[in-house]
Amino acid sequence: MADLLAPGHRGCAGCPASICVRQVLDAAGPNTICTNATGCLEVMTTPYPETAWKVPWAHSAFENSAAMASGIEAAYKALNRRNGTNKKPNIIAFAGDGGTFDIGLQALSGALERGHRMLFVCYDNEAYMNTGIQRCSSSPIGAWTTTSPEGSCSSGKTQRKKPIAMIAAAHDIPYVATACISYPQDLKAKVKKALSFDGPSFLHVFAPCPTGWRFPSEKTIAMGKLAVETGVFVLYEMTDAEPMKPIVTVKPKEFRPVEEYLQAQGRFAHLFKPKRDEVTLKRIQEDVDRKLKWVGLKP
Amino acid sequence: MVTKITKGCVIYNSPTSLGNKTGGWRTMKPVVDEEKCKKCNICWQFCPDSSIEPADRKANKAIKINYDYCKGCGICAAECPFKAITMVMEEK
């Protein structure tokens, strides 16, 4: 048990991104090279000349974390060939939801298609937190952000969340999984499994952000558990042996009502006050049920 | 802070963030009851600031909090299944 992310970084109290990195690196071990897209994680861990990373780490631009990781993998291949060595460090690309769902999508798609041996980890806090909580294609229906405000004509974001794990899986890559920082055993098992494949793998990590979602910092872990227990986020994995067939790894016995999850966060407060927004609440419930149907948890 | 900028902005002596003592951010402080601590290290898994020294079951050593860097988020106290950590007001 060794921490590969040092203290002293500037993340908010209760930050889920650093919890995600600590758990991923704990599973991957010190023989790892990381690349990092622009985002909260990059800004808070490495204000030059400070760095909190104890493994080799490099900052790419916002869009090309996956491209940089694939370059590192290709360089290792070339050096191994030239020197007759067989060095195979784990190569992990970190990106937030902005650097994965929106801005980094084409670099990610390219790297997955080229088949580099690397793991792409997306920590998903459902908005652009680093620049001040702007709407992202990962934000869920009804969520308040600064660019999807609530008011008399709007009840937060109107569109659905993009199913990024399914998009990654559609590239027919060896391994795709979703995980949550609240279930560290499950997350670490998935990281180890992902790194065992000789090809690209994708991990979508759900990371509840106290600052952007408007809840107290000590509830970061509880919020992740609540998301899984209400069916808002499903933990599953897919391999290319059975493409596009998700196998659920954490199955709640009974799903709790989605409203429990919504009421715990300030970004959904406008759905309940001053009066209940039945239309949006129904849309959210329908969307959750649809996604549960996809993975076979609801008939 | 004035520093000589290295070529390519490479940082050689990582981790250099240790100089930034984030303990000053805290308003509430976690206090460990060593008798209640079962050394399961669940809190260690969830600490965002790497501010918990893991417990050692063999040496019968409870977890220890590094107050130099703990930001007082309260996750450890909320997630401890044995209620061995309590949050108290920071007083100086």
Side-chain angles (χ1 to χ4, degrees), chain B residues 17-47:
Chain B
S17 64
L18 294 173
N20 183 34
K21 302 256 159 94
T22 49
W25 297 22
R26 204 165 52 225
T27 49
M28 300 289 278
K29 143 181 170 178
V31 176
V32 185
D33 183 339
E34 291 190 10
E35 284 190 3
K36 279 192 192 167
C37 175
K38 298 279 187 293
K39 299 148 191 83
C40 64
N41 285 329
I42 286 177
C43 54
W44 175 83
Q45 307 250 31
F46 290 139
C47 177

Side-chain angles (χ1 to χ4, degrees), chain A residues 138-248:
Chain A
S138 65
S139 311
I141 301 171
W144 161 90
T145 66
T146 49
T147 48
S148 64
E150 93 286 2
S152 55
C153 301
S154 157
S155 46
K157 193 188 160 187
T158 45
Q159 297 84 356
R160 290 198 193 100
K161 184 186 172 102
K162 202 189 261 182
I164 194 73
M166 292 290 181
I167 295 171
H171 288 77
D172 207 2
I173 56 171
Y175 188 72
V176 173
T178 60
C180 176
I181 54 162
S182 310
Y183 296 85
Q185 272 80 15
D186 178 67
L187 188 148
K188 286 180 192 177
K190 282 169 177 168
V191 170
K192 281 187 183 148
K193 196 166 173 185
L195 292 171
S196 70
F197 289 98
D198 192 25
S201 42
F202 181 83
L203 191 64
H204 178 193
V205 182
F206 193 71
C209 168
T211 310
W213 297 13
R214 305 284 191 248
F215 64 82
S217 63
E218 74 270 15
K219 293 214 171 115
T220 302
I221 304 300
M223 204 59 70
K225 282 187 188 150
L226 201 51
V228 173
E229 284 165 8
T230 53
V232 170
F233 194 78
V234 188
L235 305 184
Y236 58 80
E237 59 181 8
M238 284 178 268
T239 57
D240 58 355
E242 273 189 289
M244 304 306 281
K245 289 248 172 66
I247 299 156
V248 179

